[in-house]
Amino acid sequence: MESLLDDLSSAKRKFADSLNEFKFRCIGDAETDDEICIAKSLQEFATVLRNLEDERMRMIENAGEVLITPLEKFRKEQIGAAKDAKKKYDKETEKYCGVLEKHLNLSSKKKESQLQEADSQVDLVRQHFYEVSLEYVFKVQEVQERKMFEFVEPLLAFLQGLFTFYHHGYELAKDFSDFKTELTISIQNTRNRFEGTRSEVESLMRKMKENPDEHKNISPFTMEGYLYVQEKRHFGTSWVKHYCTYQRESKRITMVPFDQKSGGKGGEDEAVTLKSCIRRKTDSIEKRFCFDVEAVDRPGVITMQALSEEDRKLWMEAMDGREPVYNSNRDNQSEGTAQLDNIGFSIIRKCIHAVETRGINEQGLYRIVGVNSRVQKLLSILMDPKTASETETDICAEWEIKTITSALKNYLRMLPGPLMMYQFQRSFIKAAKLENQESRISEIHNLVHRLPEKNRQMLQMLTNHLANVANNHKQNLMTVANLGVVFGPTLLRPQEETVAAIMDIKFQNIVVEILIENHEKIFNTVPETLPPNSQLLLLSHKKSTDSKPPSCSERPLTLFHTAQANENQETRNSIINSSLESVISSNVNSFLHSNSTLRPNLNSSDPDLEVIKPSRPNSLSPLRKARALYACKAEHDSELSFTAGIVFDNVHPSQEPGWLEGTLNGKTGLIPENYVEFL
């Protein structure tokens, strides 16, 4: 029995050690709070198991002291003494009976003296028998009395130890209760996120199977991938597999030998500076898909083999100065007339009103989708300018709530870009990955206030509604986490469809959760500090020695207003900004596919700096009018401070390249050429 208990204890401790050593692997560069909680749970389980086992072993050890030893002592000292007394009593009984029987057999003819002597001897034996009998009876009585406390008391102490063990388990369970609740919520949130992400992953997998070359991952490098490099050996030449990266700005090629069998690095890295890249003719080498690279800091020619003809083409385009071709995001929704205009705000407002007045308590709100044909029909009615002009008209009761919620989500997906904008998508994800919860809220607060006014207004309207939905989660079962799963991919969809982007969906969900939980602070208060990249909002331009015009990466990302004394001017600027947003959005695709050498800076340190430069006239005529495309804050007296939409008079080329001269309210100054549109 003891060996079995030892085996059980050993097995429990080994199980606890295994749980403590087990580590979850995280897909992606960061973990959510829920994933961190789940990963920590195994160590918590191990601690509880070890604690319980330690207490159980203490109980078993104490059982020897409080139960076994006292009972053993009682058995030896008391019951053993009673047994000895019984043996003595049995012996004296036998002796007394023998003497008595012998005495009764004496003949009456014996002499009187002999009979008296025999009587005296019998009396002595009888007296001794009585004494031994009394001693035996006293010992039996003593054992029976002592048994009442010397046997029961150790049993009571043992049971008290047992109760202590179970009470310790109860206290452990009580202390574990809060973590158990947190872990249960984290498991449910993680399951919901997985279910919400799985369909996205499967969709991406199907797309990648159908068109594997269209899905390329954006990285800091202009081009990267596997290449076979020809190396000369004493016995001839061999082709060694390398993982190569190329950065166009520095013209640096890095080659890392790769051992396929071990699945890792197979030698020392080598980095060279590109001088030229020439395609190898097919008849000049036995291998296919080859090209020669000549380096500045290495003699000779490096012959490389790509994985395919398309792969060689991409490497060649990258190395001769042309950017690689990336697949722009193509939304599944048709690009219709969905815009952040009066019609768009009216549609969202009507859907929200219908949900909050008729279906706020429906279970699975926003998770249960409507019939697609019905959804499209409702959208066509809502987007009809004739119907949309009737702003006070509610959605009639014939439309189901699930149809209305699906229409709202579909309209948000049909916008030219996500409500929280492609430019800020990666910044929002970075904010959600911060370790400190307060830092996450603060950073997202700042980012929200960098969004264009209309985006922020619609996001605020939607977030207030989602907070109302979450407040009724006991009826509709839609918690903040569930709403994050539904709206995360809609409000923060990435511009590139990649596996990394799919893995970031869980952080998109967290951003939406933070928006809902802190909507009053985020939308109703101004950030206490400027965003880390505040120079993107308020440009402080310093003229360089060569007077170069501002580059794309130096431009502000958003259109915003300063306070105007004239109310008509505010209205005018608002209308101009709205039209500018639509113009820039509509020109993006044509710009990307043009033959111009101007392209977004994909290797910039800040992903939010990828801005498309609007088309401009090739020549500048003197004394023309120009309208500001972006807001600009002057740092020097010679530069004009202006707001997006303001019109300058008498605009003409200045003596400094990249700068114009113009007049605003009677004041003449310099204007960055890239920041204006000629009228």
Side-chain angles (χ1 to χ4, degrees), residues 280-293:
R280 283 293 293 263
K281 294 182 179 180
T282 306
D283 54 1
S284 66
I285 192 169
E286 293 181 358
K287 297 284 187 179
R288 303 170 66 195
F289 321 130
C290 294
F291 57 93
D292 291 336
V293 171

Side-chain angles (χ1 to χ4, degrees), residues 79 128 203 222 312 345 362 409 434 569 596:
I79 297 178
H128 186 65
S203 175
T222 308
R312 176 170 69 171
F345 275 88
E362 281 202 11
K409 292 187 293 183
L434 295 175
Q569 183 66 31
S596 172

Side-chain angles (χ1 to χ4, degrees), residues 1 40 79 202 213 234 275 333 382 392 491 511 523 539 590 653-654 660 676:
M1 185 66 179
K40 188 175 66 175
I79 297 178
E202 290 175 349
D213 295 329
H234 295 292
K275 181 179 180 181
Q333 300 295 333
L382 293 175
E392 301 301 325
L491 300 178
V511 172
F523 293 101
L539 176 69
S590 61
S654 69
L660 306 173
V676 299

Side-chain angles (χ1 to χ4, degrees), residues 229-240 242 280 285 292 298-303:
V229 180
Q230 187 183 49
E231 295 184 358
K232 294 182 180 181
R233 304 287 175 87
H234 295 292
F235 51 84
T237 59
S238 64
W239 293 85
V240 180
H242 288 69
R280 283 293 293 263
I285 192 169
D292 291 336
R298 172 175 166 172
V301 174
I302 307 173
T303 301

Side-chain angles (χ1 to χ4, degrees), residues 62-81:
N62 290 337
E65 297 178 5
V66 302
L67 179 64
I68 305 300
T69 301
L71 291 180
E72 186 67 20
K73 181 180 179 182
F74 178 77
R75 184 185 67 81
K76 288 181 179 179
E77 294 180 359
Q78 301 302 323
I79 297 178

Side-chain angles (χ1 to χ4, degrees), residues 401-632:
I401 293 298
K402 63 180 181 181
T403 304
I404 298 173
T405 56
S406 297
L408 184 148
K409 292 187 293 183
N410 280 19
Y411 190 85
L412 293 175
R413 296 188 189 113
M414 290 167 61
L415 293 171
L419 198 57
M420 298 172 74
M421 304 187 70
Y422 291 132
Q423 295 99 313
F424 296 103
Q425 195 263 351
R426 293 173 68 184
S427 295
F428 276 111
I429 295 299
K430 287 181 181 178
K433 292 180 180 179
L434 295 175
E435 294 183 1
N436 185 275
Q437 180 71 10
E438 293 182 0
S439 300
R440 297 179 195 170
I441 297 172
S442 176
E443 185 64 19
I444 290 175
H445 191 185
N446 289 329
L447 289 170
V448 166
H449 283 265
R450 290 170 61 183
L451 293 172
E453 185 67 23
K454 290 189 176 181
N455 294 61
R456 188 167 64 251
Q457 288 177 359
M458 182 167 286
L459 183 62
Q460 179 178 6
M461 182 169 59
L462 178 64
T463 307
N464 290 341
H465 166 61
L466 296 182
N468 193 13
V469 173
N471 290 337
N472 293 271
H473 70 275
K474 291 183 179 180
Q475 291 78 29
N476 57 40
L477 306 182
M478 292 303 293
T479 61
V480 172
N482 289 339
L483 292 171
V485 170
V486 174
F487 282 92
T490 298
L491 300 178
L492 267 175
R493 66 179 184 271
Q495 193 167 8
E496 298 292 331
E497 288 183 328
T498 63
V499 175
I502 295 296
M503 292 301 103
D504 278 340
I505 286 180
K506 56 190 176 185
F507 294 103
Q508 297 172 10
N509 303 346
I510 290 175
V511 172
V512 176
E513 292 175 22
I514 291 175
L515 288 176
I516 297 173
E517 292 174 342
N518 305 274
H519 65 283
E520 292 185 357
K521 174 184 177 181
I522 290 176
F523 293 101
N524 298 334
T525 63
V526 178
E528 295 180 0
T529 59
L530 287 175
N533 294 327
S534 58
Q535 68 273 18
L536 300 176
L537 297 175
L538 301 177
L539 176 69
S540 294
H541 181 78
K542 294 183 179 181
K543 289 181 284 186
S544 60
T545 55
D546 56 357
S547 299
K548 292 183 179 179
S551 64
C552 289
S553 62
E554 294 173 331
R555 297 183 192 173
L557 291 176
T558 59
L559 310 177
F560 66 107
H561 318 292
T562 56
Q564 298 290 332
N566 190 327
E567 185 176 348
N568 294 332
Q569 183 66 31
E570 290 183 358
T571 306
R572 177 189 175 201
N573 288 343
S574 176
I575 296 173
I576 291 174
N577 283 341
S578 176
S579 62
L580 287 176
E581 291 174 19
S582 61
V583 169
I584 293 174
S585 175
S586 62
N587 287 336
V588 169
N589 288 334
S590 61
F591 177 81
L592 282 175
H593 295 287
S594 67
N595 293 326
S596 172
T597 59
L598 297 172
R599 293 189 181 270
N601 185 7
L602 294 175
N603 296 314
S604 173
S605 60
D606 191 337
D608 294 345
L609 298 180
E610 301 177 12
V611 191
I612 304 303
K613 177 179 178 181
S615 58
R616 304 203 33 80
N618 295 327
S619 61
L620 300 177
S621 302
L623 304 180
R624 300 176 64 185
K625 288 182 178 290
R627 177 171 56 209
L629 284 176
Y630 301 95
C632 178

